[in-house]
């Protein structure tokens, strides 16, 4: 059995939650950037290939960030295995913090509740 101080477990839990939040924010922002590039290109009547390089680069970044999200999920799974094999197995470090929905999701949720 691993002997881990509770304070150390809280630090790891906090850092894990902050990392997941940061990556999720980056995924959403990169997806928004991709959409904005297309939207601005269309609104500006740019030829299809004019912004293709920027869109491809942002899309590559989005793909990599989605991969990073998976990697953090795998790291979290490994950390849980360590916790279960430690003196902190019964310790509850909490779930990720409450997610603050975006304007679009909040709007959709309000519409669904009204229906």
């Amino acid at each position: 059995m691993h002997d881990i101080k509770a304070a150390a477990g809280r630090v790891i839990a906090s850092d894990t939650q902050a990392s997941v939040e940061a990556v999720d924010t980056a995924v959403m922002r990169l997806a928004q950037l991709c959409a904005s590039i297309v939207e601005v290109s269309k609104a500006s009547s740019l030829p299809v290939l004019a912004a293709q390089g920027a869109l491809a680069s942002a899309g590559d970044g989005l793909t990599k960030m989605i991969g990073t999200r998976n990697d953090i999920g795998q790291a979290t799974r490994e950390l849980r295995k360590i916790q279960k094999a430690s003196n902190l197995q019964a310790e509850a470090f909490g779930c990720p913090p409450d997610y603050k929905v975006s304007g679009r999701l909040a709007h959709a949720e309000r519409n669904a509740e009204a229906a």
Side-chain angles (χ1 to χ4, degrees):
M1 176 180 283
H2 307 300
D3 184 27
I4 302 171
K5 293 188 186 304
R10 285 190 292 277
V11 167
I12 292 292
S14 176
D15 288 348
T16 301
Q17 291 169 0
S19 295
V20 169
E21 180 68 24
V23 170
D24 282 351
T25 297
V27 167
M28 290 185 292
R29 297 213 187 253
L30 280 165
Q32 184 71 42
L33 176 59
C34 289
S36 294
I37 290 168
V38 172
E39 186 176 4
V40 169
S41 294
K42 288 182 74 155
S44 302
S45 300
L46 294 177
V48 164
L49 295 179
Q52 189 60 30
L55 180 60
S57 293
D60 287 346
L62 177 58
T63 298
K64 290 173 185 170
M65 195 55 62
I66 290 169
T68 298
R69 190 175 193 273
N70 182 65
D71 294 342
I72 288 180
Q74 294 297 330
T76 300
R77 182 176 289 142
E78 294 300 319
L79 289 169
R80 286 184 182 149
K81 286 180 189 177
I82 293 168
Q83 180 187 5
K84 286 180 181 179
S86 78
N87 59 306
L88 299 177
Q89 58 188 306
E91 186 81 27
F93 290 109
C95 295
D98 289 337
Y99 176 69
K100 296 176 185 135
V101 298
S102 69
R104 288 183 214 140
L105 181 55
H107 180 71
E109 287 176 345
R110 281 192 301 273
N111 286 345
E113 290 172 1

PDB file of all heavy atoms in Angstrom, residues 45-87:
ATOM      1  N   SER A  45     -16.207  37.204 -48.489  1.00  0.00           N
ATOM      2  CA  SER A  45     -16.185  36.659 -49.859  1.00  0.00           C
ATOM      3  C   SER A  45     -14.777  36.316 -50.318  1.00  0.00           C
ATOM      4  O   SER A  45     -14.404  36.539 -51.469  1.00  0.00           O
ATOM      5  CB  SER A  45     -16.845  37.637 -50.834  1.00  0.00           C
ATOM      6  OG  SER A  45     -18.183  37.862 -50.474  1.00  0.00           O
ATOM      7  N   LEU A  46     -13.983  35.768 -49.402  1.00  0.00           N
ATOM      8  CA  LEU A  46     -12.625  35.356 -49.755  1.00  0.00           C
ATOM      9  C   LEU A  46     -12.677  34.077 -50.576  1.00  0.00           C
ATOM     10  O   LEU A  46     -13.568  33.236 -50.378  1.00  0.00           O
ATOM     11  CB  LEU A  46     -11.800  35.096 -48.492  1.00  0.00           C
ATOM     12  CG  LEU A  46     -11.503  36.290 -47.586  1.00  0.00           C
ATOM     13  CD1 LEU A  46     -10.744  35.827 -46.352  1.00  0.00           C
ATOM     14  CD2 LEU A  46     -10.698  37.335 -48.344  1.00  0.00           C
ATOM     15  N   PRO A  47     -11.735  33.905 -51.476  1.00  0.00           N
ATOM     16  CA  PRO A  47     -11.652  32.624 -52.170  1.00  0.00           C
ATOM     17  C   PRO A  47     -11.431  31.502 -51.146  1.00  0.00           C
ATOM     18  O   PRO A  47     -10.834  31.724 -50.092  1.00  0.00           O
ATOM     19  CB  PRO A  47     -10.427  32.764 -53.078  1.00  0.00           C
ATOM     20  CG  PRO A  47     -10.180  34.240 -53.177  1.00  0.00           C
ATOM     21  CD  PRO A  47     -10.698  34.846 -51.914  1.00  0.00           C
ATOM     22  N   VAL A  48     -11.905  30.318 -51.453  1.00  0.00           N
ATOM     23  CA  VAL A  48     -11.828  29.188 -50.518  1.00  0.00           C
ATOM     24  C   VAL A  48     -10.420  28.981 -49.976  1.00  0.00           C
ATOM     25  O   VAL A  48     -10.233  28.743 -48.787  1.00  0.00           O
ATOM     26  CB  VAL A  48     -12.353  27.908 -51.198  1.00  0.00           C
ATOM     27  CG1 VAL A  48     -11.957  26.668 -50.445  1.00  0.00           C
ATOM     28  CG2 VAL A  48     -13.858  27.962 -51.360  1.00  0.00           C
ATOM     29  N   LEU A  49      -9.437  29.083 -50.817  1.00  0.00           N
ATOM     30  CA  LEU A  49      -8.075  28.781 -50.385  1.00  0.00           C
ATOM     31  C   LEU A  49      -7.387  29.929 -49.646  1.00  0.00           C
ATOM     32  O   LEU A  49      -6.332  29.725 -49.057  1.00  0.00           O
ATOM     33  CB  LEU A  49      -7.229  28.355 -51.586  1.00  0.00           C
ATOM     34  CG  LEU A  49      -7.661  27.038 -52.250  1.00  0.00           C
ATOM     35  CD1 LEU A  49      -6.769  26.738 -53.449  1.00  0.00           C
ATOM     36  CD2 LEU A  49      -7.629  25.900 -51.251  1.00  0.00           C
ATOM     37  N   ALA A  50      -7.982  31.104 -49.628  1.00  0.00           N
ATOM     38  CA  ALA A  50      -7.329  32.260 -48.993  1.00  0.00           C
ATOM     39  C   ALA A  50      -7.059  32.020 -47.516  1.00  0.00           C
ATOM     40  O   ALA A  50      -5.987  32.366 -47.016  1.00  0.00           O
ATOM     41  CB  ALA A  50      -8.173  33.513 -49.189  1.00  0.00           C
ATOM     42  N   ALA A  51      -7.992  31.441 -46.819  1.00  0.00           N
ATOM     43  CA  ALA A  51      -7.826  31.214 -45.379  1.00  0.00           C
ATOM     44  C   ALA A  51      -7.572  29.746 -45.052  1.00  0.00           C
ATOM     45  O   ALA A  51      -7.555  29.360 -43.882  1.00  0.00           O
ATOM     46  CB  ALA A  51      -9.056  31.707 -44.632  1.00  0.00           C
ATOM     47  N   GLN A  52      -7.372  28.934 -46.079  1.00  0.00           N
ATOM     48  CA  GLN A  52      -7.227  27.497 -45.859  1.00  0.00           C
ATOM     49  C   GLN A  52      -6.038  27.164 -44.961  1.00  0.00           C
ATOM     50  O   GLN A  52      -6.126  26.286 -44.105  1.00  0.00           O
ATOM     51  CB  GLN A  52      -7.107  26.751 -47.191  1.00  0.00           C
ATOM     52  CG  GLN A  52      -7.164  25.251 -47.058  1.00  0.00           C
ATOM     53  CD  GLN A  52      -8.457  24.740 -46.454  1.00  0.00           C
ATOM     54  OE1 GLN A  52      -9.501  25.347 -46.607  1.00  0.00           O
ATOM     55  NE2 GLN A  52      -8.382  23.636 -45.738  1.00  0.00           N
ATOM     56  N   GLY A  53      -4.930  27.868 -45.133  1.00  0.00           N
ATOM     57  CA  GLY A  53      -3.754  27.611 -44.294  1.00  0.00           C
ATOM     58  C   GLY A  53      -4.035  27.880 -42.825  1.00  0.00           C
ATOM     59  O   GLY A  53      -3.671  27.087 -41.954  1.00  0.00           O
ATOM     60  N   ALA A  54      -4.692  29.004 -42.566  1.00  0.00           N
ATOM     61  CA  ALA A  54      -5.029  29.344 -41.175  1.00  0.00           C
ATOM     62  C   ALA A  54      -6.005  28.325 -40.603  1.00  0.00           C
ATOM     63  O   ALA A  54      -5.854  27.883 -39.458  1.00  0.00           O
ATOM     64  CB  ALA A  54      -5.618  30.752 -41.101  1.00  0.00           C
ATOM     65  N   LEU A  55      -7.000  27.942 -41.394  1.00  0.00           N
ATOM     66  CA  LEU A  55      -7.986  26.968 -40.926  1.00  0.00           C
ATOM     67  C   LEU A  55      -7.325  25.613 -40.677  1.00  0.00           C
ATOM     68  O   LEU A  55      -7.584  24.969 -39.652  1.00  0.00           O
ATOM     69  CB  LEU A  55      -9.122  26.826 -41.943  1.00  0.00           C
ATOM     70  CG  LEU A  55     -10.224  25.838 -41.591  1.00  0.00           C
ATOM     71  CD1 LEU A  55     -10.914  26.217 -40.287  1.00  0.00           C
ATOM     72  CD2 LEU A  55     -11.242  25.755 -42.723  1.00  0.00           C
ATOM     73  N   ALA A  56      -6.458  25.195 -41.569  1.00  0.00           N
ATOM     74  CA  ALA A  56      -5.771  23.911 -41.397  1.00  0.00           C
ATOM     75  C   ALA A  56      -4.894  23.920 -40.148  1.00  0.00           C
ATOM     76  O   ALA A  56      -4.866  22.943 -39.384  1.00  0.00           O
ATOM     77  CB  ALA A  56      -4.937  23.586 -42.634  1.00  0.00           C
ATOM     78  N   SER A  57      -4.194  25.009 -39.920  1.00  0.00           N
ATOM     79  CA  SER A  57      -3.335  25.096 -38.731  1.00  0.00           C
ATOM     80  C   SER A  57      -4.166  25.079 -37.451  1.00  0.00           C
ATOM     81  O   SER A  57      -3.814  24.386 -36.490  1.00  0.00           O
ATOM     82  CB  SER A  57      -2.482  26.362 -38.783  1.00  0.00           C
ATOM     83  OG  SER A  57      -1.549  26.277 -39.836  1.00  0.00           O
ATOM     84  N   ALA A  58      -5.245  25.842 -37.434  1.00  0.00           N
ATOM     85  CA  ALA A  58      -6.114  25.844 -36.255  1.00  0.00           C
ATOM     86  C   ALA A  58      -6.740  24.467 -36.062  1.00  0.00           C
ATOM     87  O   ALA A  58      -6.862  23.978 -34.932  1.00  0.00           O
ATOM     88  CB  ALA A  58      -7.196  26.917 -36.392  1.00  0.00           C
ATOM     89  N   GLY A  59      -7.134  23.830 -37.171  1.00  0.00           N
ATOM     90  CA  GLY A  59      -7.706  22.486 -37.090  1.00  0.00           C
ATOM     91  C   GLY A  59      -6.711  21.462 -36.576  1.00  0.00           C
ATOM     92  O   GLY A  59      -7.068  20.583 -35.776  1.00  0.00           O
ATOM     93  N   ASP A  60      -5.458  21.568 -37.007  1.00  0.00           N
ATOM     94  CA  ASP A  60      -4.415  20.672 -36.490  1.00  0.00           C
ATOM     95  C   ASP A  60      -4.233  20.878 -34.986  1.00  0.00           C
ATOM     96  O   ASP A  60      -4.092  19.912 -34.230  1.00  0.00           O
ATOM     97  CB  ASP A  60      -3.087  20.920 -37.203  1.00  0.00           C
ATOM     98  CG  ASP A  60      -3.063  20.397 -38.630  1.00  0.00           C
ATOM     99  OD1 ASP A  60      -3.962  19.604 -39.004  1.00  0.00           O
ATOM    100  OD2 ASP A  60      -2.145  20.795 -39.373  1.00  0.00           O
ATOM    101  N   GLY A  61      -4.249  22.131 -34.574  1.00  0.00           N
ATOM    102  CA  GLY A  61      -4.146  22.417 -33.146  1.00  0.00           C
ATOM    103  C   GLY A  61      -5.315  21.831 -32.367  1.00  0.00           C
ATOM    104  O   GLY A  61      -5.139  21.277 -31.280  1.00  0.00           O
ATOM    105  N   LEU A  62      -6.509  21.931 -32.932  1.00  0.00           N
ATOM    106  CA  LEU A  62      -7.701  21.373 -32.291  1.00  0.00           C
ATOM    107  C   LEU A  62      -7.572  19.851 -32.168  1.00  0.00           C
ATOM    108  O   LEU A  62      -7.837  19.286 -31.101  1.00  0.00           O
ATOM    109  CB  LEU A  62      -8.952  21.746 -33.081  1.00  0.00           C
ATOM    110  CG  LEU A  62     -10.272  21.173 -32.579  1.00  0.00           C
ATOM    111  CD1 LEU A  62     -10.556  21.568 -31.135  1.00  0.00           C
ATOM    112  CD2 LEU A  62     -11.410  21.618 -33.501  1.00  0.00           C
ATOM    113  N   THR A  63      -7.132  19.213 -33.233  1.00  0.00           N
ATOM    114  CA  THR A  63      -6.952  17.756 -33.191  1.00  0.00           C
ATOM    115  C   THR A  63      -5.951  17.357 -32.114  1.00  0.00           C
ATOM    116  O   THR A  63      -6.182  16.413 -31.349  1.00  0.00           O
ATOM    117  CB  THR A  63      -6.480  17.244 -34.564  1.00  0.00           C
ATOM    118  OG1 THR A  63      -7.501  17.537 -35.525  1.00  0.00           O
ATOM    119  CG2 THR A  63      -6.203  15.756 -34.558  1.00  0.00           C
ATOM    120  N   LYS A  64      -4.853  18.091 -32.027  1.00  0.00           N
ATOM    121  CA  LYS A  64      -3.844  17.796 -31.013  1.00  0.00           C
ATOM    122  C   LYS A  64      -4.392  18.040 -29.612  1.00  0.00           C
ATOM    123  O   LYS A  64      -4.103  17.282 -28.677  1.00  0.00           O
ATOM    124  CB  LYS A  64      -2.591  18.632 -31.259  1.00  0.00           C
ATOM    125  CG  LYS A  64      -1.838  18.184 -32.498  1.00  0.00           C
ATOM    126  CD  LYS A  64      -0.701  19.128 -32.830  1.00  0.00           C
ATOM    127  CE  LYS A  64      -0.053  18.717 -34.145  1.00  0.00           C
ATOM    128  NZ  LYS A  64       0.889  19.728 -34.624  1.00  0.00           N
ATOM    129  N   MET A  65      -5.178  19.087 -29.452  1.00  0.00           N
ATOM    130  CA  MET A  65      -5.734  19.385 -28.132  1.00  0.00           C
ATOM    131  C   MET A  65      -6.741  18.317 -27.711  1.00  0.00           C
ATOM    132  O   MET A  65      -6.821  17.953 -26.536  1.00  0.00           O
ATOM    133  CB  MET A  65      -6.367  20.778 -28.127  1.00  0.00           C
ATOM    134  CG  MET A  65      -6.650  21.306 -26.748  1.00  0.00           C
ATOM    135  SD  MET A  65      -5.230  21.359 -25.618  1.00  0.00           S
ATOM    136  CE  MET A  65      -4.138  22.479 -26.447  1.00  0.00           C
ATOM    137  N   ILE A  66      -7.499  17.797 -28.670  1.00  0.00           N
ATOM    138  CA  ILE A  66      -8.424  16.704 -28.365  1.00  0.00           C
ATOM    139  C   ILE A  66      -7.621  15.475 -27.926  1.00  0.00           C
ATOM    140  O   ILE A  66      -8.009  14.772 -26.989  1.00  0.00           O
ATOM    141  CB  ILE A  66      -9.339  16.408 -29.568  1.00  0.00           C
ATOM    142  CG1 ILE A  66     -10.313  17.568 -29.756  1.00  0.00           C
ATOM    143  CG2 ILE A  66     -10.079  15.088 -29.392  1.00  0.00           C
ATOM    144  CD1 ILE A  66     -11.099  17.526 -31.057  1.00  0.00           C
ATOM    145  N   GLY A  67      -6.494  15.231 -28.565  1.00  0.00           N
ATOM    146  CA  GLY A  67      -5.614  14.148 -28.139  1.00  0.00           C
ATOM    147  C   GLY A  67      -5.063  14.387 -26.739  1.00  0.00           C
ATOM    148  O   GLY A  67      -4.967  13.455 -25.925  1.00  0.00           O
ATOM    149  N   THR A  68      -4.723  15.619 -26.449  1.00  0.00           N
ATOM    150  CA  THR A  68      -4.238  15.977 -25.115  1.00  0.00           C
ATOM    151  C   THR A  68      -5.315  15.721 -24.070  1.00  0.00           C
ATOM    152  O   THR A  68      -5.029  15.235 -22.974  1.00  0.00           O
ATOM    153  CB  THR A  68      -3.788  17.454 -25.085  1.00  0.00           C
ATOM    154  OG1 THR A  68      -2.711  17.618 -26.005  1.00  0.00           O
ATOM    155  CG2 THR A  68      -3.361  17.886 -23.693  1.00  0.00           C
ATOM    156  N   ARG A  69      -6.563  16.022 -24.427  1.00  0.00           N
ATOM    157  CA  ARG A  69      -7.685  15.768 -23.502  1.00  0.00           C
ATOM    158  C   ARG A  69      -7.759  14.282 -23.161  1.00  0.00           C
ATOM    159  O   ARG A  69      -7.968  13.896 -22.017  1.00  0.00           O
ATOM    160  CB  ARG A  69      -8.980  16.256 -24.133  1.00  0.00           C
ATOM    161  CG  ARG A  69     -10.157  16.278 -23.201  1.00  0.00           C
ATOM    162  CD  ARG A  69     -11.362  16.902 -23.921  1.00  0.00           C
ATOM    163  NE  ARG A  69     -12.422  17.232 -22.998  1.00  0.00           N
ATOM    164  CZ  ARG A  69     -13.358  16.364 -22.630  1.00  0.00           C
ATOM    165  NH1 ARG A  69     -13.380  15.145 -23.108  1.00  0.00           N
ATOM    166  NH2 ARG A  69     -14.309  16.745 -21.779  1.00  0.00           N
ATOM    167  N   ASN A  70      -7.577  13.438 -24.163  1.00  0.00           N
ATOM    168  CA  ASN A  70      -7.564  11.999 -23.922  1.00  0.00           C
ATOM    169  C   ASN A  70      -6.392  11.608 -23.023  1.00  0.00           C
ATOM    170  O   ASN A  70      -6.550  10.795 -22.110  1.00  0.00           O
ATOM    171  CB  ASN A  70      -7.489  11.247 -25.254  1.00  0.00           C
ATOM    172  CG  ASN A  70      -7.526   9.756 -25.049  1.00  0.00           C
ATOM    173  OD1 ASN A  70      -8.517   9.208 -24.589  1.00  0.00           O
ATOM    174  ND2 ASN A  70      -6.441   9.093 -25.389  1.00  0.00           N
ATOM    175  N   ASP A  71      -5.235  12.197 -23.276  1.00  0.00           N
ATOM    176  CA  ASP A  71      -4.053  11.892 -22.464  1.00  0.00           C
ATOM    177  C   ASP A  71      -4.281  12.252 -20.998  1.00  0.00           C
ATOM    178  O   ASP A  71      -3.894  11.500 -20.090  1.00  0.00           O
ATOM    179  CB  ASP A  71      -2.825  12.635 -22.988  1.00  0.00           C
ATOM    180  CG  ASP A  71      -2.393  12.153 -24.368  1.00  0.00           C
ATOM    181  OD1 ASP A  71      -2.796  11.044 -24.783  1.00  0.00           O
ATOM    182  OD2 ASP A  71      -1.648  12.909 -25.034  1.00  0.00           O
ATOM    183  N   ILE A  72      -4.903  13.387 -20.747  1.00  0.00           N
ATOM    184  CA  ILE A  72      -5.179  13.787 -19.362  1.00  0.00           C
ATOM    185  C   ILE A  72      -6.186  12.828 -18.733  1.00  0.00           C
ATOM    186  O   ILE A  72      -6.072  12.476 -17.557  1.00  0.00           O
ATOM    187  CB  ILE A  72      -5.656  15.246 -19.288  1.00  0.00           C
ATOM    188  CG1 ILE A  72      -4.469  16.166 -19.570  1.00  0.00           C
ATOM    189  CG2 ILE A  72      -6.258  15.560 -17.918  1.00  0.00           C
ATOM    190  CD1 ILE A  72      -4.786  17.620 -19.529  1.00  0.00           C
ATOM    191  N   GLY A  73      -7.151  12.387 -19.526  1.00  0.00           N
ATOM    192  CA  GLY A  73      -8.098  11.392 -19.017  1.00  0.00           C
ATOM    193  C   GLY A  73      -7.384  10.110 -18.616  1.00  0.00           C
ATOM    194  O   GLY A  73      -7.687   9.519 -17.566  1.00  0.00           O
ATOM    195  N   GLN A  74      -6.433   9.678 -19.429  1.00  0.00           N
ATOM    196  CA  GLN A  74      -5.663   8.474 -19.113  1.00  0.00           C
ATOM    197  C   GLN A  74      -4.805   8.694 -17.866  1.00  0.00           C
ATOM    198  O   GLN A  74      -4.690   7.808 -17.011  1.00  0.00           O
ATOM    199  CB  GLN A  74      -4.774   8.078 -20.301  1.00  0.00           C
ATOM    200  CG  GLN A  74      -5.542   7.650 -21.531  1.00  0.00           C
ATOM    201  CD  GLN A  74      -6.386   6.410 -21.305  1.00  0.00           C
ATOM    202  OE1 GLN A  74      -6.053   5.548 -20.500  1.00  0.00           O
ATOM    203  NE2 GLN A  74      -7.505   6.325 -21.995  1.00  0.00           N
ATOM    204  N   ALA A  75      -4.198   9.872 -17.754  1.00  0.00           N
ATOM    205  CA  ALA A  75      -3.392  10.181 -16.567  1.00  0.00           C
ATOM    206  C   ALA A  75      -4.266  10.167 -15.317  1.00  0.00           C
ATOM    207  O   ALA A  75      -3.856   9.645 -14.270  1.00  0.00           O
ATOM    208  CB  ALA A  75      -2.712  11.544 -16.727  1.00  0.00           C
ATOM    209  N   THR A  76      -5.478  10.689 -15.431  1.00  0.00           N
ATOM    210  CA  THR A  76      -6.401  10.690 -14.300  1.00  0.00           C
ATOM    211  C   THR A  76      -6.749   9.267 -13.891  1.00  0.00           C
ATOM    212  O   THR A  76      -6.796   8.936 -12.700  1.00  0.00           O
ATOM    213  CB  THR A  76      -7.680  11.478 -14.659  1.00  0.00           C
ATOM    214  OG1 THR A  76      -7.307  12.821 -14.985  1.00  0.00           O
ATOM    215  CG2 THR A  76      -8.667  11.496 -13.522  1.00  0.00           C
ATOM    216  N   ARG A  77      -6.970   8.410 -14.867  1.00  0.00           N
ATOM    217  CA  ARG A  77      -7.259   7.001 -14.576  1.00  0.00           C
ATOM    218  C   ARG A  77      -6.095   6.357 -13.821  1.00  0.00           C
ATOM    219  O   ARG A  77      -6.294   5.617 -12.853  1.00  0.00           O
ATOM    220  CB  ARG A  77      -7.529   6.251 -15.869  1.00  0.00           C
ATOM    221  CG  ARG A  77      -7.879   4.790 -15.645  1.00  0.00           C
ATOM    222  CD  ARG A  77      -8.241   4.077 -16.924  1.00  0.00           C
ATOM    223  NE  ARG A  77      -9.539   4.591 -17.352  1.00  0.00           N
ATOM    224  CZ  ARG A  77      -9.873   4.811 -18.627  1.00  0.00           C
ATOM    225  NH1 ARG A  77      -9.000   4.578 -19.590  1.00  0.00           N
ATOM    226  NH2 ARG A  77     -11.056   5.256 -18.949  1.00  0.00           N
ATOM    227  N   GLU A  78      -4.868   6.656 -14.240  1.00  0.00           N
ATOM    228  CA  GLU A  78      -3.693   6.106 -13.566  1.00  0.00           C
ATOM    229  C   GLU A  78      -3.565   6.642 -12.139  1.00  0.00           C
ATOM    230  O   GLU A  78      -3.209   5.904 -11.214  1.00  0.00           O
ATOM    231  CB  GLU A  78      -2.425   6.392 -14.371  1.00  0.00           C
ATOM    232  CG  GLU A  78      -2.374   5.692 -15.715  1.00  0.00           C
ATOM    233  CD  GLU A  78      -2.432   4.177 -15.605  1.00  0.00           C
ATOM    234  OE1 GLU A  78      -1.778   3.612 -14.699  1.00  0.00           O
ATOM    235  OE2 GLU A  78      -3.129   3.549 -16.432  1.00  0.00           O
ATOM    236  N   LEU A  79      -3.873   7.923 -11.972  1.00  0.00           N
ATOM    237  CA  LEU A  79      -3.821   8.507 -10.622  1.00  0.00           C
ATOM    238  C   LEU A  79      -4.863   7.866  -9.711  1.00  0.00           C
ATOM    239  O   LEU A  79      -4.607   7.642  -8.523  1.00  0.00           O
ATOM    240  CB  LEU A  79      -4.028  10.024 -10.697  1.00  0.00           C
ATOM    241  CG  LEU A  79      -2.866  10.809 -11.304  1.00  0.00           C
ATOM    242  CD1 LEU A  79      -3.277  12.246 -11.578  1.00  0.00           C
ATOM    243  CD2 LEU A  79      -1.640  10.750 -10.394  1.00  0.00           C
ATOM    244  N   ARG A  80      -6.018   7.547 -10.250  1.00  0.00           N
ATOM    245  CA  ARG A  80      -7.046   6.868  -9.442  1.00  0.00           C
ATOM    246  C   ARG A  80      -6.589   5.473  -9.028  1.00  0.00           C
ATOM    247  O   ARG A  80      -6.881   5.030  -7.918  1.00  0.00           O
ATOM    248  CB  ARG A  80      -8.356   6.804 -10.214  1.00  0.00           C
ATOM    249  CG  ARG A  80      -9.051   8.135 -10.281  1.00  0.00           C
ATOM    250  CD  ARG A  80     -10.390   8.036 -10.966  1.00  0.00           C
ATOM    251  NE  ARG A  80     -11.015   9.343 -11.052  1.00  0.00           N
ATOM    252  CZ  ARG A  80     -11.818   9.711 -12.010  1.00  0.00           C
ATOM    253  NH1 ARG A  80     -12.142   8.868 -12.977  1.00  0.00           N
ATOM    254  NH2 ARG A  80     -12.349  10.914 -12.025  1.00  0.00           N
ATOM    255  N   LYS A  81      -5.880   4.779  -9.909  1.00  0.00           N
ATOM    256  CA  LYS A  81      -5.341   3.464  -9.554  1.00  0.00           C
ATOM    257  C   LYS A  81      -4.368   3.594  -8.380  1.00  0.00           C
ATOM    258  O   LYS A  81      -4.375   2.774  -7.459  1.00  0.00           O
ATOM    259  CB  LYS A  81      -4.623   2.839 -10.752  1.00  0.00           C
ATOM    260  CG  LYS A  81      -5.535   2.330 -11.832  1.00  0.00           C
ATOM    261  CD  LYS A  81      -4.687   1.736 -12.960  1.00  0.00           C
ATOM    262  CE  LYS A  81      -5.502   1.390 -14.171  1.00  0.00           C
ATOM    263  NZ  LYS A  81      -4.635   0.894 -15.271  1.00  0.00           N
ATOM    264  N   ILE A  82      -3.514   4.630  -8.455  1.00  0.00           N
ATOM    265  CA  ILE A  82      -2.564   4.854  -7.359  1.00  0.00           C
ATOM    266  C   ILE A  82      -3.325   5.149  -6.077  1.00  0.00           C
ATOM    267  O   ILE A  82      -3.005   4.605  -5.010  1.00  0.00           O
ATOM    268  CB  ILE A  82      -1.590   5.998  -7.706  1.00  0.00           C
ATOM    269  CG1 ILE A  82      -0.678   5.579  -8.861  1.00  0.00           C
ATOM    270  CG2 ILE A  82      -0.764   6.408  -6.484  1.00  0.00           C
ATOM    271  CD1 ILE A  82       0.120   6.717  -9.475  1.00  0.00           C
ATOM    272  N   GLN A  83      -4.343   5.981  -6.155  1.00  0.00           N
ATOM    273  CA  GLN A  83      -5.119   6.316  -4.966  1.00  0.00           C
ATOM    274  C   GLN A  83      -5.768   5.073  -4.367  1.00  0.00           C
ATOM    275  O   GLN A  83      -5.757   4.881  -3.151  1.00  0.00           O
ATOM    276  CB  GLN A  83      -6.201   7.352  -5.294  1.00  0.00           C
ATOM    277  CG  GLN A  83      -7.035   7.723  -4.080  1.00  0.00           C
ATOM    278  CD  GLN A  83      -8.212   8.626  -4.403  1.00  0.00           C
ATOM    279  OE1 GLN A  83      -8.483   8.916  -5.560  1.00  0.00           O
ATOM    280  NE2 GLN A  83      -8.903   9.057  -3.381  1.00  0.00           N
ATOM    281  N   LYS A  84      -6.327   4.218  -5.220  1.00  0.00           N
ATOM    282  CA  LYS A  84      -6.998   3.006  -4.720  1.00  0.00           C
ATOM    283  C   LYS A  84      -6.020   2.044  -4.060  1.00  0.00           C
ATOM    284  O   LYS A  84      -6.421   1.217  -3.241  1.00  0.00           O
ATOM    285  CB  LYS A  84      -7.729   2.308  -5.864  1.00  0.00           C
ATOM    286  CG  LYS A  84      -8.978   3.038  -6.281  1.00  0.00           C
ATOM    287  CD  LYS A  84      -9.692   2.325  -7.413  1.00  0.00           C
ATOM    288  CE  LYS A  84     -10.923   3.112  -7.818  1.00  0.00           C
ATOM    289  NZ  LYS A  84     -11.653   2.479  -8.922  1.00  0.00           N
ATOM    290  N   ALA A  85      -4.753   2.143  -4.406  1.00  0.00           N
ATOM    291  CA  ALA A  85      -3.734   1.288  -3.803  1.00  0.00           C
ATOM    292  C   ALA A  85      -2.996   2.015  -2.681  1.00  0.00           C
ATOM    293  O   ALA A  85      -1.883   1.632  -2.309  1.00  0.00           O
ATOM    294  CB  ALA A  85      -2.737   0.835  -4.873  1.00  0.00           C
ATOM    295  N   SER A  86      -3.609   3.056  -2.141  1.00  0.00           N
ATOM    296  CA  SER A  86      -2.947   3.851  -1.106  1.00  0.00           C
ATOM    297  C   SER A  86      -3.812   3.954   0.146  1.00  0.00           C
ATOM    298  O   SER A  86      -4.939   3.485   0.185  1.00  0.00           O
ATOM    299  CB  SER A  86      -2.658   5.260  -1.632  1.00  0.00           C
ATOM    300  OG  SER A  86      -3.829   6.051  -1.606  1.00  0.00           O
ATOM    301  N   ASN A  87      -3.231   4.622   1.124  1.00  0.00           N
ATOM    302  CA  ASN A  87      -3.960   4.908   2.354  1.00  0.00           C
ATOM    303  C   ASN A  87      -5.078   5.925   2.126  1.00  0.00           C
ATOM    304  O   ASN A  87      -5.906   6.148   2.997  1.00  0.00           O
ATOM    305  CB  ASN A  87      -2.991   5.443   3.419  1.00  0.00           C
ATOM    306  CG  ASN A  87      -2.291   6.710   2.967  1.00  0.00           C
ATOM    307  OD1 ASN A  87      -1.685   6.729   1.889  1.00  0.00           O
ATOM    308  ND2 ASN A  87      -2.354   7.749   3.769  1.00  0.00           N
TER     309      ASN A  87
END
